[in-house]
Amino acid sequence: MRRLAAAALGAFASLAAVADEIPQAERRSGFDAMSAETRAMQVDDTANPGLLWVQDGADLWTRAPASGRPACAGCHGEAATLRGVAARYPAFDEASGAAIDLQGRINHCRREHQGDPPYGHESRELLALSAYLGFQSRGLPIAPPRDPRLDPARAQGAALFRERIGQLGLSCAACHDDNHGRRLGAATIPQGHPTGYPLYRLEWQGLGSVQRRLRNCMTGMRAEPFAYGSAEFVALERYLMDRAAPLPIETPAVRP
Amino acid sequence: MRRTGPHETAGKATRLVLTAGCLLAVDASFAGATDTRRPPIAIVGDAIPAPLTDTPGDPARGRAIVADRTRGLCLLCHAGPIPEERFQGDLGPDLSGAGSRHTAGQLRLRLVDGRALNPDTIMPSYHRVDPSPRVGAAWRGKPVLEAQEIEDVVAYLATLRDDTREGPAR
């Protein structure tokens, strides 16, 4: 009954959420629960397959788009100047008056400043560029911006995290707040911190975004996944990054 | 746990009324309630004493449903005496001895709608159409298990006595 009331009153749900949140000192990356072999694969840059996407991203960074307008580097210079950006996204986007995630920002630049059509979700190019940008922040603590204009997205994300959905009537919180560390079949349930996206998932045999991972979970809950790039996903990303801080960025992480 | 009746939730959101209503005798969200030839599913105390179907449950079929990770899904969260299935979960109690701990009627309610007993349980309600939003197209309007499947699983779980580590039906 209480959960339904909370779901019906989103604002109250987000208030209740704070009380259940994992305390900062107890936040753990999924990295910690991985086997020694998988951890070794992530930390060794010659073994981490995600580094191949990072290299592709570095190429794209300096390559002029088909429109003939400047490459990313033409405006931003060295990508290293964007160190810290991935640790604070999603951010508030003045143009749309809403939260925007890093992939949305890359595509916004591409459309507005490079005059080229946006990259498709989960395309090699978008994953490569976002991996390259995330890589610039590797090791930095996640640092949520204190922009109050992001509060609606935070509240929406917190409410979505706790909302029971799908045929099985499960929520993100039911597993990742209440049952992390336990086993769901072969998997140890992680706390669910998006510290390393885009990341190389062995199950995917490829790199994928946090939205792809969230869609996997929603399908498992027998729910209709949110659309790629939807406001719901950006809100969830904002909340998840708040919930993960100050864990360090691991992009490109490796996960089972 | 005693749950409140619909009279105490009047005026609140429709979903709340529906949720409370299902905890009494009948609710349209119980999959069986659509079959007008059968009496409505009745909860008595913490049990559903009457079988949902006229055909007695088959423990062997029940065991197969429990072991099937795309059908019963049980072993994702529970361990059980099904040694050929590796990687069993530990979110819920071990199914070993379930038949000693609970009557068939208690097992039936815990399967049909465990959330009637504990609204916060992670255990899905297997034979009511969940009121949660965003149900995937393939599952919309359907319970996780049909009535006969529930009876089969109840029959299997009832065989899991404390003195048998291995369920009889293979």
Side-chain angles (χ1 to χ4, degrees):
Chain A
M1 198 68 57
R2 195 173 63 233
R3 71 186 160 80
L4 287 176
L9 305 166
F12 290 101
S14 65
L15 287 178
V18 175
D20 298 336
E21 234 162 55
I22 300 167
Q24 280 205 3
E26 293 168 28
R27 295 178 187 179
R28 296 285 179 271
S29 164
F31 178 88
D32 296 6
M34 298 198 305
S35 70
E37 292 80 7
T38 317
R39 276 184 276 146
M41 186 190 280
Q42 175 173 322
V43 298
D44 178 353
D45 282 354
T46 65
N48 182 336
L51 266 295
L52 300 171
W53 277 262
V54 171
Q55 282 174 9
D56 279 0
D59 289 344
L60 286 170
W61 185 257
T62 56
R63 190 186 305 163
S67 64
R69 295 203 208 166
C72 308
C75 293
H76 294 285
E78 293 287 323
T81 61
L82 296 183
R83 181 165 168 80
V85 169
R88 62 175 184 265
Y89 260 68
F92 184 77
D93 175 41
E94 302 270 0
S96 65
I100 189 168
D101 66 4
L102 199 52
Q103 296 202 334
R105 171 58 73 196
I106 290 168
N107 265 337
H108 175 86
C109 257
R110 197 167 152 76
R111 202 172 45 242
E112 299 301 316
H113 305 307
Q114 296 187 318
D116 264 7
Y119 293 123
H121 295 287
E122 304 304 306
S123 63
R124 177 95 189 173
E125 293 85 355
L126 188 55
L127 289 171
L129 271 173
S130 53
Y132 184 56
L133 286 182
F135 182 70
Q136 306 304 317
S137 294
R138 189 164 69 162
L140 289 180
I142 292 170
R146 291 191 184 160
D147 188 337
R149 296 172 299 178
L150 289 168
D151 287 351
R154 294 180 205 281
Q156 184 188 8
L160 290 172
F161 191 78
R162 280 166 185 75
E163 184 179 35
R164 289 193 188 236
I165 57 171
Q167 189 198 37
L168 303 180
L170 298 173
S171 67
C172 312
C175 279
H176 299 288
D177 272 352
D178 301 344
N179 284 293
H180 58 80
R182 293 183 190 255
R183 280 197 325 276
L184 181 70
T188 300
I189 298 175
Q191 292 183 354
H193 300 305
T195 48
Y197 285 96
L199 58 71
Y200 188 90
R201 197 171 179 219
L202 300 177
E203 187 180 319
W204 293 335
Q205 300 182 39
L207 208 76
S209 71
V210 65
Q211 295 192 9
R212 179 175 177 189
R213 186 66 191 85
L214 292 168
R215 285 172 63 90
N216 284 179
C217 257
M218 293 179 81
T219 303
M221 296 150 84
R222 297 187 172 179
E224 191 66 43
F226 297 124
Y228 279 114
S230 62
E232 287 92 343
F233 267 151
V234 176
L236 262 173
E237 285 180 62
R238 181 62 270 155
Y239 172 69
L240 289 173
M241 290 294 270
D242 293 347
R243 183 177 169 274
L247 292 172
I249 294 284
E250 297 170 49
T251 308
V254 175
R255 291 291 183 272
Chain B
M1 185 195 299
R2 281 297 300 153
R3 306 288 310 146
T4 54
H7 58 284
E8 290 168 74
T9 58
K12 292 191 182 176
T14 308
R15 281 169 65 195
L16 298 186
V17 175
L18 279 175
T19 302
C22 79
L23 304 175
L24 296 183
V26 202
D27 188 277
S29 62
F30 274 139
T34 55
D35 184 351
T36 52
R37 294 162 301 175
R38 293 198 58 81
I41 294 173
I43 297 175
V44 179
D46 72 337
I48 298 175
L52 307 184
T53 65
D54 295 329
T55 307
D58 176 346
R61 281 202 309 257
R63 188 185 192 280
I65 293 167
V66 169
D68 187 335
R69 281 156 203 263
T70 61
R71 216 168 143 211
L73 317 168
C74 310
L75 298 182
L76 288 173
C77 294
H78 298 272
I82 302 182
E84 73 275 19
E85 282 295 322
R86 298 173 65 209
F87 304 124
Q88 303 182 354
D90 66 357
L91 275 80
D94 194 316
L95 299 179
S96 303
S100 296
R101 294 192 296 272
H102 300 294
T103 66
Q106 288 172 326
L107 291 169
R108 193 174 286 112
L109 175 56
R110 280 155 180 77
L111 286 167
V112 166
D113 188 13
R115 286 171 183 155
L117 295 168
N118 173 9
D120 294 325
T121 183
I122 194 169
M123 167 87 178
S125 297
Y126 271 74
H127 193 60
R128 71 180 291 238
V129 177
D130 198 279
S132 299
R134 297 200 70 80
V135 177
W139 317 106
R140 220 162 280 157
K142 297 177 187 163
V144 183
L145 292 180
E146 298 296 341
Q148 192 59 49
E149 295 175 308
I150 293 285
E151 289 307 313
D152 293 341
V153 174
V154 168
Y156 167 65
L157 294 177
T159 67
L160 302 181
R161 318 292 301 185
D162 275 337
D163 51 359
T164 56
R165 296 300 301 169
E166 167 75 351
R170 295 295 298 261

